[in-house]
Amino acid sequence: LLRRIKTLNLYLNELTGSIPSQIGTMSRIETLALYSNAITDSIPSEIGNLDRIQTLHLEFNDLTGLIPTEIGLLRKIEFLAMDSNENIYGSIPSELGFLSRLQTLRLNTNKLTGSIPPEVGGLVDLETFYLYSNRLTGPIPSEIGLLQQNIQAMHLNSNNLAGPIPSELGLLDQIRTLYLYWNKDLTGSIPKNLCNDD
């Protein structure tokens, strides 16, 4: 029966335990919403089998562990939220750059470390990009300028990002909110083209 479901909404309950690996057999699922529960343990790698999924809500749980690289197999996904789990750690998989249809990516309020992978430049449809309140280090990649067509909100604040603000941020024509505050190791001057209005 579950293999025929296209939409499964289980949010705003008090569900516990882990996400079963059998979730990977839901071959027709397009929307899966598990947010605002008390689900624990790691995200199963079998989630990469959901090749029709467009919307995936895992936020506001107690998930732990790494973001599985198999997330990069979800080539039809448009909305991905894993924020506010607080114990998701490790680096952001470079495989996320394969998700060219993705419009919303929310990984904020976790314990992610390492740098922002330059492969995020492949997210050409991205409109909302939230990485704030993690432990990310290293520079803001210049490839972020490749998001210029659609990006409207980019929140990278409250991390440990370092180095200069890349001038490529000035290419983001549609940007409405850009938050870089509380990154104490950002240095250098404000790029002049960040202030351009043409």
Side-chain angles (χ1 to χ4, degrees), residues 126-172:
L126 201 61
E127 298 175 0
T128 301
F129 188 30
Y130 290 171
L131 297 181
Y132 65 88
S133 297
N134 279 290
R135 300 173 181 177
L136 298 172
T137 56
I140 299 170
S142 60
E143 288 83 357
I144 234 160
L146 298 173
L147 308 181
Q148 64 190 79
Q149 290 185 331
N150 295 296
I151 193 76
Q152 297 179 26
M154 183 183 300
H155 297 183
L156 308 181
N157 54 287
S158 306
N159 280 289
N160 297 308
L161 298 173
I165 297 173
S167 60
E168 287 81 2
L169 288 177
L171 300 174
L172 306 180

Side-chain angles (χ1 to χ4, degrees), residues 88-129:
I88 289 179
Y89 58 82
S91 58
I92 299 171
S94 61
E95 288 81 0
L96 281 176
F98 294 131
L99 307 181
S100 59
R101 296 187 184 184
L102 196 61
Q103 297 173 14
T104 296
L105 177 59
R106 296 185 352 211
L107 300 178
N108 55 281
T109 321
N110 287 300
K111 292 180 179 175
L112 296 173
T113 56
S115 58
I116 300 172
E119 288 82 1
V120 298
L123 304 176
V124 292
D125 281 351
L126 201 61
E127 298 175 0
T128 301
F129 188 30

Side-chain angles (χ1 to χ4, degrees), residues 57-95:
H57 285 274
L58 301 179
E59 70 269 32
F60 291 102
N61 279 291
D62 296 312
L63 294 169
T64 62
L66 304 172
I67 298 174
T69 59
E70 289 80 3
I71 286 288
L73 299 173
L74 308 180
R75 302 299 172 85
K76 294 184 178 180
I77 198 162
E78 298 176 358
F79 182 102
L80 176 58
M82 298 182 179
D83 55 283
S84 305
N85 279 284
E86 297 190 3
N87 286 310
I88 289 179
Y89 58 82
S91 58
I92 299 171
S94 61
E95 288 81 0

